[in-house]
Amino acid sequence: MNYTAEAPAVWDPAFAGADDCLLSTDQCVVRAQQYFVKGLIEIPVIGSDEVFSWGVWVSLSRENFTRAADLWERPGREAEKPYFGWLTTDLSVYSTTTLNLKTNVHTRPVGERPYVELEPTEHPLAVEQRTGITLDRMQEIAAAVLHSSSSEGR
């Protein structure tokens, strides 16, 4: 019950191998000017103990990215205060773009992806994070993601 973006929306495959660019499974740097971490937007599934997760990229300031990277393998890092960031993953299942939604990135224990908390707006994704989704909605998302994945492969 997790769908994930491989890279931030601004990433171009042509950046691969450039000295000032990096794309790992958890961190991304573009032209030594833009900094990103991967985290999870978690959405409770109503009537169950399940959680649906979007694996998304969030841009951080250089200072916060450096701090997060310095603490990446340090036990106790979850005590760190949240980092402000902008969502840089466009989730096409939403009619309104998810790019540039305001977030707080909460560091979790070593080995766990950060938790991405959306600003409590009326954007459908933010509403779903606050109120949860039904199993039917989760299946609708799964079908839409599967359809967009197969369309891209053509």
Side-chain angles (χ1 to χ4, degrees):
M1 297 204 318
N2 180 333
Y3 293 95
T4 191
E6 298 304 316
V10 298
W11 179 260
D12 185 315
F15 296 155
D19 290 342
D20 59 353
C21 296
L22 159 83
L23 177 62
S24 73
T25 56
D26 299 302
Q27 300 172 345
C28 180
V29 177
V30 174
R31 300 287 182 218
Q33 295 177 4
Q34 294 176 290
Y35 305 89
F36 309 89
V37 295
K38 192 171 199 177
L40 297 174
I41 295 174
E42 296 176 344
I43 301 173
V45 178
I46 298 167
S48 77
D49 294 332
E50 302 294 327
V51 174
F52 175 83
S53 298
W54 288 109
V56 297
W57 291 89
V58 176
S59 68
L60 299 180
S61 68
R62 180 183 196 139
E63 177 185 348
N64 284 343
F65 178 84
T66 301
R67 176 89 179 143
D70 289 347
L71 298 175
W72 205 256
E73 297 294 328
R74 186 174 299 169
R77 70 182 191 167
E78 62 273 16
E80 188 75 358
K81 67 178 175 72
Y83 304 117
F84 174 80
W86 299 95
L87 187 61
T88 56
T89 299
D90 189 21
L91 301 172
S92 60
V93 302
Y94 296 96
S95 57
T96 308
T97 185
T98 57
L99 289 173
N100 297 318
L101 292 177
K102 292 179 181 179
T103 70
N104 278 304
V105 178
H106 299 263
T107 305
R108 294 202 256 201
V110 173
E112 293 183 38
R113 286 205 191 281
Y115 171 71
V116 178
E117 175 190 17
L118 295 168
E119 178 183 48
T121 65
E122 291 308 308
H123 188 283
L125 178 58
V127 171
E128 287 181 346
Q129 187 178 44
R130 284 194 311 274
T131 64
I133 59 174
T134 63
L135 192 53
D136 286 346
R137 171 64 176 146
M138 190 179 74
Q139 291 168 339
E140 179 184 305
I141 290 169
V145 169
L146 183 63
H147 176 74
S148 71
S149 298
S150 61
S151 298
E152 291 169 5
R154 291 182 199 169

